[in-house]
Amino acid sequence: MNAEIFLQVDNYISDLLAKEDKALTDTIQSLDKEGLPQHSVSANQGKFLQVMMIACNAKKVLELGTLGGYSTIWLARALPDNGKVITIEVDKHHGEVAQKNIDNAGLSSKVDLRVGKAMDILPEIIKKNEEPFDMIFIDADKPPYTEYFNYALQLSRPGTLIICDNVIREGKILDKNSADEKVQGVQRLNKMLSENKNVTATILQTVGAKEYDGIAIAVVNRI
Ligand code: SAH
Ligand code: DHB
Ligand code: MG
């Protein structure tokens, strides 16, 4: 068992169930062209997000961390006609690249891209006191994941799904003395999930096209 077979099986699954079209492959190519990191979810993870959306009949989705819009495109494509994804990105250049990719995918009317720090924009959304989100995907900077999750809870209703990317970090979360602030950030989130009575949560390890990692899935029981 090694990375090679995990990659081959990931390709086998995506060939069957998560085929990328040109808008998605163009988006991945735009990252290298524009000097953005290759930190998008994989095609199979994009499909996973869609399955979760359909399972909870999601019409209103929030994403933290847009990058080039790759995951945003998967999310927006699983929305019904009147659905909306709000996606938050701190980096102006990332935001510009993402907006182009979203436009190129024909999804401008379904995606509301907000450029700014998640920590500033989340309280603004909470203040507006609009309808809760059906699903929230947390994939921005890792150190404040716990704070993001607590904001996400304030934007939820019972049944809302909150999904957090990159919570295993090649198994580095086993190191209790890790000095890596990304590792510390997700360790803190994972511990909080284990103690928070308002959610039912689990973590799936992920292998394949991306480095060995994991995705946390929490469903809100009560607010
Ligand atoms: N969800 C994307 C990948 C996101 S990578 C996909 O799968 O396609 C993480 C992104 O979070 C980067 O673009 C980074 O600029 C952004 N980010 C980092 N800190 C942030 C912050 N404080 N607020 C909002 N976005 C942030
Ligand atoms: C990193 C961030 C991500 O969202 C990701 O999927 C992979 C890596 C990072 O900041 O290292
Ligand atoms: Mg990620």
Side-chain angles (χ1 to χ4, degrees), residues 51-207:
V51 171
M52 293 296 111
M53 276 179 67
I54 307 294
C56 69
N57 193 20
K59 295 186 204 49
K60 195 175 162 186
V61 174
L62 175 66
E63 174 177 67
L64 312 189
T66 317
L67 189 62
Y70 184 83
S71 53
T72 318
I73 291 172
W74 281 98
L75 292 169
R77 284 180 169 170
L79 287 169
D81 282 345
N82 57 347
K84 243 323 175 258
V85 179
I86 297 180
T87 183
I88 304 175
E89 172 55 54
V90 74
D91 186 295
K92 261 192 157 169
H93 182 228
H94 295 187
E96 285 162 11
V97 173
Q99 191 62 59
K100 270 192 217 155
N101 288 325
I102 291 158
D103 294 348
N104 182 46
L107 293 166
S108 334
S109 65
K110 286 189 166 168
V111 178
D112 178 356
L113 170 64
R114 313 248 175 116
V115 176
K117 285 184 194 162
M119 213 68 102
D120 296 336
I121 293 177
L122 288 165
E124 284 172 20
I125 303 177
I126 290 166
K127 233 190 280 164
K128 289 206 178 118
N129 203 19
E130 287 169 4
E131 253 187 84
F133 289 90
D134 304 306
M135 193 171 106
I136 300 175
F137 178 47
I138 300 178
D139 194 20
D141 49 329
K142 314 307 165 193
Y145 256 32
T146 305
E147 288 69 31
Y148 292 159
F149 192 92
N150 285 324
Y151 277 128
L153 279 177
Q154 295 182 57
L155 291 164
S156 296
R157 54 162 171 82
T160 295
L161 278 184
I162 306 177
I163 298 179
C164 310
D165 196 23
N166 312 116
V167 301
I168 296 299
R169 309 210 65 91
E170 297 174 287
K172 290 181 189 144
I173 40 72
L174 294 178
D175 179 2
K176 293 194 179 79
N177 302 313
S178 175
D180 180 334
E181 57 176 16
K182 296 183 186 182
V183 172
Q184 291 174 1
V186 299
Q187 284 173 325
R188 199 154 62 83
L189 172 86
N190 296 341
K191 175 135 199 304
M192 184 272 272
L193 290 178
S194 78
E195 293 163 351
N196 192 325
K197 300 272 193 304
N198 297 330
V199 298
T200 301
T202 190
I203 298 170
L204 298 177
Q205 300 189 60
T206 56
V207 294

